[in-house]
Amino acid sequence: GFWEWDYSSRNGPSTWVEKFPMAAGSRQSPVNIETDRAESDHEALSSKPLRWKYPATASRKLLNPGYCWRVDTDGEGTLLSGGPLMDDIYKLEQYHCHWGCSDSRGSEHTVDGQAFAGELHLVHWNTTKYKTFAEAAKAPDGLAVLGVFLKVGKPHDEMDKIARLLPYVSHKEDCIEINEPIDPSKLLPDDNGYWTYLGSLTTPPCNESVTWILFKRYIEVSHHQLNIFRNLRKFPRGEECPCHENHGVVINNFRPPLPLGNRVLRECGS
Ligand code: SG5
Ligand code: ZN
Protein backbone atom coordinates (compact mmCIF):
# COMPACT_ATOMS: atom_id res chain seq x y z
CA GLY A 1 0.00 0.00 0.00
CA PHE A 2 0.97 3.68 -0.12
CA TRP A 3 3.05 5.25 2.62
CA GLU A 4 1.10 6.62 5.56
CA TRP A 5 2.78 8.40 8.44
CA ASP A 6 2.10 7.18 11.96
CA TYR A 7 3.83 6.71 15.31
CA SER A 8 5.17 3.18 14.74
CA SER A 9 8.81 2.18 14.43
CA ARG A 10 8.40 1.90 10.62
CA ASN A 11 6.61 5.16 9.75
CA GLY A 12 7.10 7.14 12.95
CA PRO A 13 8.40 10.66 13.68
CA SER A 14 12.04 9.97 12.67
CA THR A 15 10.87 9.04 9.13
CA TRP A 16 8.41 11.90 8.55
CA VAL A 17 11.09 14.14 7.05
CA GLU A 18 11.36 11.83 3.99
CA LYS A 19 7.90 12.93 2.82
CA PHE A 20 7.54 16.18 4.78
CA PRO A 21 10.80 18.16 4.51
CA MET A 22 9.38 20.82 6.86
CA ALA A 23 9.79 18.28 9.70
CA ALA A 24 13.54 19.03 9.63
CA GLY A 25 13.03 22.77 10.10
CA SER A 26 14.35 24.92 12.92
CA ARG A 27 10.91 25.94 14.24
CA GLN A 28 9.52 22.51 15.09
CA SER A 29 7.26 21.30 17.91
CA PRO A 30 7.00 19.91 20.49
CA VAL A 31 9.95 21.03 22.66
CA ASN A 32 11.11 20.39 26.18
CA ILE A 33 10.16 23.42 28.30
CA GLU A 34 13.22 24.33 30.35
CA THR A 35 11.45 26.37 32.99
CA ASP A 36 14.69 28.18 33.98
CA ARG A 37 15.07 29.48 30.42
CA ALA A 38 11.65 31.18 30.26
CA GLU A 39 11.76 34.96 29.95
CA SER A 40 9.19 36.51 32.25
CA ASP A 41 9.83 40.26 31.99
CA HIS A 42 7.57 40.69 29.00
CA GLU A 43 5.28 43.67 29.41
CA ALA A 44 3.88 42.67 26.02
CA LEU A 45 2.36 39.48 27.39
CA SER A 46 1.02 40.69 30.73
CA SER A 47 -0.47 43.93 29.38
CA LYS A 48 -2.87 41.96 27.18
CA PRO A 49 -4.48 39.12 29.06
CA LEU A 50 -5.13 35.94 27.17
CA ARG A 51 -8.87 35.75 26.54
CA TRP A 52 -11.07 32.98 25.18
CA LYS A 53 -14.72 32.39 24.52
CA TYR A 54 -16.11 28.98 23.61
CA PRO A 55 -19.87 28.53 23.41
CA ALA A 56 -20.62 24.90 24.33
CA THR A 57 -22.78 24.64 21.20
CA ALA A 58 -19.71 25.12 18.96
CA SER A 59 -18.52 21.50 19.50
CA ARG A 60 -20.28 19.69 16.68
CA LYS A 61 -18.65 16.38 15.77
CA LEU A 62 -16.51 13.74 17.43
CA LEU A 63 -14.21 11.81 15.10
CA ASN A 64 -11.65 9.04 15.11
CA PRO A 65 -9.14 9.99 12.39
CA GLY A 66 -7.03 6.93 13.28
CA TYR A 67 -4.42 9.02 15.12
CA CYS A 68 -6.33 10.51 18.04
CA TRP A 69 -9.84 11.60 18.92
CA ARG A 70 -10.86 14.97 17.62
CA VAL A 71 -13.80 17.31 18.20
CA ASP A 72 -14.56 19.56 15.22
CA THR A 73 -16.27 22.86 15.95
CA ASP A 74 -18.23 25.20 13.74
CA GLY A 75 -16.12 28.08 15.12
CA GLU A 76 -19.34 30.04 15.65
CA GLY A 77 -18.87 32.58 18.45
CA THR A 78 -15.48 31.15 19.48
CA LEU A 79 -12.55 33.47 20.12
CA LEU A 80 -8.96 33.46 21.34
CA SER A 81 -7.04 36.73 21.69
CA GLY A 82 -4.44 38.59 23.73
CA GLY A 83 -1.19 37.31 25.21
CA PRO A 84 1.31 36.61 22.42
CA LEU A 85 -1.32 36.92 19.64
CA MET A 86 -0.74 40.62 18.95
CA ASP A 87 -4.00 42.32 17.93
CA ASP A 88 -5.35 39.40 15.99
CA ILE A 89 -8.49 37.35 16.68
CA TYR A 90 -8.35 33.58 16.38
CA LYS A 91 -11.23 31.09 16.07
CA LEU A 92 -11.39 27.54 17.44
CA GLU A 93 -11.24 24.96 14.61
CA GLN A 94 -10.93 21.69 16.53
CA TYR A 95 -9.52 20.09 19.65
CA HIS A 96 -7.84 16.72 20.02
CA CYS A 97 -5.61 14.79 22.35
CA HIS A 98 -2.31 12.88 22.55
CA TRP A 99 -1.64 10.08 25.09
CA GLY A 100 0.62 7.16 25.96
CA CYS A 101 0.38 3.43 26.55
CA SER A 102 0.85 4.01 30.27
CA ASP A 103 0.28 6.94 32.61
CA SER A 104 3.99 7.88 32.68
CA ARG A 105 4.13 9.23 29.11
CA GLY A 106 1.87 10.58 26.41
CA SER A 107 2.41 14.36 26.31
CA GLU A 108 4.21 15.94 23.37
CA HIS A 109 5.79 18.82 25.26
CA THR A 110 7.78 17.96 28.36
CA VAL A 111 8.53 20.22 31.33
CA ASP A 112 12.12 20.04 32.61
CA GLY A 113 12.34 16.62 30.97
CA GLN A 114 9.13 15.31 32.55
CA ALA A 115 6.34 13.91 30.38
CA PHE A 116 2.67 13.97 31.36
CA ALA A 117 0.07 11.24 30.72
CA GLY A 118 -1.48 13.25 27.90
CA GLU A 119 -1.79 16.61 26.20
CA LEU A 120 -4.95 18.30 24.96
CA HIS A 121 -4.64 20.69 21.98
CA LEU A 122 -7.15 23.39 21.09
CA VAL A 123 -6.33 24.45 17.52
CA HIS A 124 -7.25 28.04 16.50
CA TRP A 125 -6.69 30.04 13.31
CA ASN A 126 -6.12 33.71 12.67
CA THR A 127 -9.34 35.15 11.22
CA THR A 128 -8.03 38.71 11.24
CA LYS A 129 -5.43 37.96 8.57
CA TYR A 130 -6.63 34.85 6.73
CA LYS A 131 -9.81 33.70 4.96
CA THR A 132 -9.68 29.96 5.63
CA PHE A 133 -8.10 27.51 8.05
CA ALA A 134 -6.09 26.02 5.16
CA GLU A 135 -4.66 29.42 4.24
CA ALA A 136 -3.82 30.18 7.89
CA ALA A 137 -2.15 26.78 8.36
CA LYS A 138 0.55 27.85 5.86
CA ALA A 139 1.30 31.24 7.44
CA PRO A 140 3.86 31.89 10.20
CA ASP A 141 1.22 33.63 12.33
CA GLY A 142 -1.72 31.56 11.09
CA LEU A 143 -2.41 29.15 13.96
CA ALA A 144 -2.49 29.28 17.76
CA VAL A 145 -2.67 26.07 19.77
CA LEU A 146 -3.57 26.04 23.46
CA GLY A 147 -1.97 23.05 25.17
CA VAL A 148 -3.15 21.48 28.42
CA PHE A 149 -1.23 18.71 30.19
CA LEU A 150 -3.22 15.75 31.53
CA LYS A 151 -2.19 14.10 34.78
CA VAL A 152 -3.76 10.97 36.23
CA GLY A 153 -5.95 11.66 39.23
CA LYS A 154 -9.65 12.15 39.76
CA PRO A 155 -12.09 11.77 36.86
CA HIS A 156 -12.76 14.95 34.88
CA ASP A 157 -16.46 15.75 34.37
CA GLU A 158 -16.22 17.53 31.01
CA MET A 159 -13.68 15.00 29.68
CA ASP A 160 -16.14 12.30 30.72
CA LYS A 161 -18.65 13.58 28.17
CA ILE A 162 -16.02 12.84 25.49
CA ALA A 163 -14.93 9.53 27.07
CA ARG A 164 -18.54 8.33 27.16
CA LEU A 165 -18.92 9.02 23.41
CA LEU A 166 -15.64 7.40 22.31
CA PRO A 167 -17.07 3.85 22.10
CA TYR A 168 -19.30 5.19 19.29
CA VAL A 169 -16.21 6.19 17.25
CA SER A 170 -14.09 3.16 18.12
CA HIS A 171 -12.80 2.70 14.55
CA LYS A 172 -10.88 4.90 12.13
CA GLU A 173 -13.12 7.23 10.10
CA ASP A 174 -16.01 6.87 12.57
CA CYS A 175 -17.77 10.17 13.25
CA ILE A 176 -20.79 11.17 15.33
CA GLU A 177 -22.67 14.37 15.98
CA ILE A 178 -22.43 15.83 19.47
CA ASN A 179 -25.82 16.47 21.05
CA GLU A 180 -25.04 17.04 24.72
CA PRO A 181 -23.06 20.34 24.74
CA ILE A 182 -19.32 20.02 25.49
CA ASP A 183 -17.67 23.18 26.80
CA PRO A 184 -13.95 23.26 25.92
CA SER A 185 -13.30 26.05 28.44
CA LYS A 186 -14.11 23.51 31.16
CA LEU A 187 -11.15 21.48 29.90
CA LEU A 188 -8.73 24.29 30.78
CA PRO A 189 -6.99 24.63 34.17
CA ASP A 190 -8.25 27.20 36.70
CA ASP A 191 -5.08 29.27 36.56
CA ASN A 192 -4.05 31.18 33.41
CA GLY A 193 -0.25 31.01 33.77
CA TYR A 194 1.37 29.88 30.50
CA TRP A 195 4.57 29.42 28.49
CA THR A 196 4.65 30.52 24.86
CA TYR A 197 6.99 30.06 21.90
CA LEU A 198 6.82 29.90 18.09
CA GLY A 199 6.63 26.38 16.67
CA SER A 200 4.92 24.00 14.29
CA LEU A 201 2.18 21.42 13.89
CA THR A 202 3.37 18.27 15.70
CA THR A 203 2.09 16.01 12.89
CA PRO A 204 2.83 15.98 9.15
CA PRO A 205 3.01 18.30 7.27
CA CYS A 206 4.66 19.91 10.35
CA ASN A 207 3.95 23.46 9.08
CA GLU A 208 5.84 26.13 11.00
CA SER A 209 2.68 28.14 11.58
CA VAL A 210 1.84 27.73 15.26
CA THR A 211 2.05 30.13 18.20
CA TRP A 212 2.12 27.64 21.07
CA ILE A 213 0.51 28.59 24.40
CA LEU A 214 0.99 25.92 27.06
CA PHE A 215 -0.76 26.19 30.39
CA LYS A 216 1.58 25.72 33.34
CA ARG A 217 -1.12 23.96 35.37
CA TYR A 218 -2.27 20.51 34.39
CA ILE A 219 -5.79 19.12 34.60
CA GLU A 220 -6.59 15.75 36.15
CA VAL A 221 -8.27 12.90 34.32
CA SER A 222 -8.69 9.38 35.65
CA HIS A 223 -6.72 6.29 34.66
CA HIS A 224 -10.03 4.83 33.48
CA GLN A 225 -10.74 7.82 31.23
CA LEU A 226 -7.28 7.46 29.63
CA ASN A 227 -7.90 3.74 29.12
CA ILE A 228 -10.98 4.63 27.10
CA PHE A 229 -8.74 6.78 24.83
CA ARG A 230 -6.34 3.80 24.58
CA ASN A 231 -9.12 1.61 23.21
CA LEU A 232 -9.61 3.58 19.95
CA ARG A 233 -8.63 1.64 16.81
CA LYS A 234 -6.22 2.77 14.09
CA PHE A 235 -8.04 0.76 11.41
CA PRO A 236 -11.53 1.14 9.87
CA ARG A 237 -14.56 -0.88 10.95
CA GLY A 238 -14.79 -4.11 8.99
CA GLU A 239 -11.08 -4.22 8.20
CA GLU A 240 -8.84 -6.82 9.76
CA CYS A 241 -6.90 -5.83 12.84
CA PRO A 242 -3.18 -5.23 12.07
CA CYS A 243 -2.34 -7.28 15.14
CA HIS A 244 1.43 -7.03 14.70
CA GLU A 245 1.50 -3.54 16.19
CA ASN A 246 -0.29 -2.93 19.52
CA HIS A 247 -3.39 -4.78 18.28
CA GLY A 248 -4.20 -1.73 16.20
CA VAL A 249 -5.08 0.58 19.07
CA VAL A 250 -4.23 4.29 19.16
CA ILE A 251 -1.51 4.71 21.82
CA ASN A 252 1.72 6.70 22.07
CA ASN A 253 0.44 9.19 19.49
CA PHE A 254 2.98 11.81 20.50
CA ARG A 255 6.01 13.26 18.70
CA PRO A 256 9.14 13.43 20.88
CA PRO A 257 10.55 16.90 21.72
CA LEU A 258 12.80 18.74 19.24
CA PRO A 259 15.45 21.38 19.97
CA LEU A 260 14.19 24.85 20.95
CA GLY A 261 17.40 26.17 19.35
CA ASN A 262 17.63 29.93 19.44
CA ARG A 263 13.90 30.48 19.84
CA VAL A 264 12.66 32.52 22.77
CA LEU A 265 10.51 30.83 25.42
CA ARG A 266 8.37 33.39 27.24
CA GLU A 267 6.18 32.99 30.29
CA CYS A 268 3.26 34.83 31.82
CA GLY A 269 1.80 34.22 35.28
CA SER A 270 2.77 31.45 37.64
C1 SG5 B 1 -3.99 16.00 15.16
O1 SG5 B 1 -2.96 16.93 15.20
C2 SG5 B 1 -5.04 16.17 14.09
C3 SG5 B 1 -4.73 17.19 13.04
C4 SG5 B 1 -3.81 18.30 13.49
C5 SG5 B 1 -2.59 17.68 14.06
O2 SG5 B 1 -3.35 14.73 15.06
O3 SG5 B 1 -4.98 14.99 13.35
C6 SG5 B 1 -6.08 14.43 12.97
O4 SG5 B 1 -7.15 14.70 13.37
C7 SG5 B 1 -5.79 13.34 11.93
C8 SG5 B 1 -6.27 13.73 10.55
O5 SG5 B 1 -5.96 17.70 12.58
C9 SG5 B 1 -6.26 17.56 11.28
O6 SG5 B 1 -5.54 16.97 10.52
C10 SG5 B 1 -7.54 18.19 10.87
C11 SG5 B 1 -7.87 18.01 9.43
O7 SG5 B 1 -3.46 19.05 12.35
C12 SG5 B 1 -4.00 20.26 12.13
O8 SG5 B 1 -4.72 20.82 12.91
C13 SG5 B 1 -3.59 20.86 10.82
C14 SG5 B 1 -4.29 20.25 9.63
C15 SG5 B 1 -1.53 18.69 14.43
O9 SG5 B 1 -2.02 19.58 15.40
S1 SG5 B 1 -1.16 19.88 16.62
O10 SG5 B 1 0.07 20.47 16.17
O11 SG5 B 1 -1.96 20.71 17.46
N1 SG5 B 1 -0.81 18.53 17.37
ZN1 ZN C 1 -1.95 17.89 18.83
Side-chain angles (χ1 to χ4, degrees):
F2 63 96
W3 189 84
E4 257 190 281
W5 68 268
D6 62 20
Y7 296 93
S8 72
S9 41
R10 277 179 75 88
N11 303 332
S14 64
T15 71
W16 294 352
V17 62
E18 294 163 25
K19 292 283 163 53
F20 304 95
M22 200 91 86
S26 52
R27 189 191 147 168
Q28 289 292 296
S29 295
V31 298
N32 175 40
I33 304 290
E34 281 180 65
T35 56
D36 283 350
R37 262 184 77 172
E39 296 185 11
S40 51
D41 55 339
H42 274 274
E43 180 64 13
L45 289 182
S46 44
S47 64
K48 274 194 192 155
L50 192 63
R51 222 163 61 81
W52 57 83
K53 202 174 101 189
Y54 303 131
T57 50
S59 300
R60 303 306 292 269
K61 284 177 178 167
L62 176 67
L63 305 77
N64 174 350
Y67 301 102
C68 59
W69 58 255
R70 189 175 91 216
V71 172
D72 283 353
T73 72
D74 60 13
E76 205 74 34
T78 67
L79 171 148
L80 180 69
S81 66
L85 302 178
M86 314 295 276
D87 292 316
D88 296 349
I89 304 283
Y90 289 66
K91 249 187 193 178
L92 181 63
E93 173 78 5
Q94 50 112 324
Y95 49 101
H96 65 267
C97 198
H98 305 260
W99 58 86
C101 58
S102 70
D103 298 344
S104 60
R105 60 205 192 113
S107 65
E108 301 212 286
H109 292 86
T110 52
V111 179
D112 293 328
Q114 287 293 308
F116 288 80
E119 190 172 326
L120 175 72
H121 289 157
L122 288 80
V123 182
H124 308 75
W125 61 284
N126 186 333
T127 56
T128 304
K129 288 203 176 155
Y130 307 104
K131 284 197 195 69
T132 63
F133 177 82
E135 189 193 344
K138 292 183 201 137
D141 57 355
L143 303 181
V145 181
L146 274 188
V148 182
F149 294 114
L150 309 186
K151 195 176 159 138
V152 169
K154 52 183 188 317
H156 191 290
D157 283 347
E158 205 66 15
M159 196 64 94
D160 214 52
K161 294 184 185 171
I162 296 167
R164 283 200 310 263
L165 292 175
L166 289 179
Y168 298 98
V169 294
S170 57
H171 287 73
K172 183 179 179 173
E173 286 150 27
D174 286 351
C175 174
I176 56 165
E177 275 182 39
I178 293 170
N179 296 315
E180 184 192 6
I182 299 173
D183 181 351
S185 61
K186 292 189 180 155
L187 296 169
L188 308 182
D190 296 330
D191 193 278
N192 289 0
Y194 63 84
W195 294 289
T196 182
Y197 76 97
L198 298 178
S200 73
L201 295 174
T202 64
T203 66
C206 301
N207 297 10
E208 298 187 330
S209 56
V210 179
T211 300
W212 278 95
I213 302 170
L214 295 157
F215 284 106
K216 293 185 175 183
R217 304 289 167 88
Y218 55 79
I219 61 164
E220 285 187 18
V221 302
S222 68
H223 177 75
H224 175 69
Q225 289 176 322
L226 282 169
N227 273 347
I228 295 172
F229 298 1
R230 294 178 184 126
N231 206 24
L232 294 176
R233 308 304 153 94
K234 292 193 285 193
F235 58 96
R237 198 174 288 278
E239 249 179 47
E240 230 173 287
C241 163
C243 289
H244 49 279
E245 196 122 28
N246 301 329
H247 302 280
V249 294
V250 181
I251 50 169
N252 298 330
N253 56 353
F254 59 91
R255 186 189 197 189
L258 293 140
L260 183 67
N262 53 22
R263 286 175 285 175
V264 185
L265 172 69
R266 298 189 289 167
E267 70 178 339
C268 186
S270 50

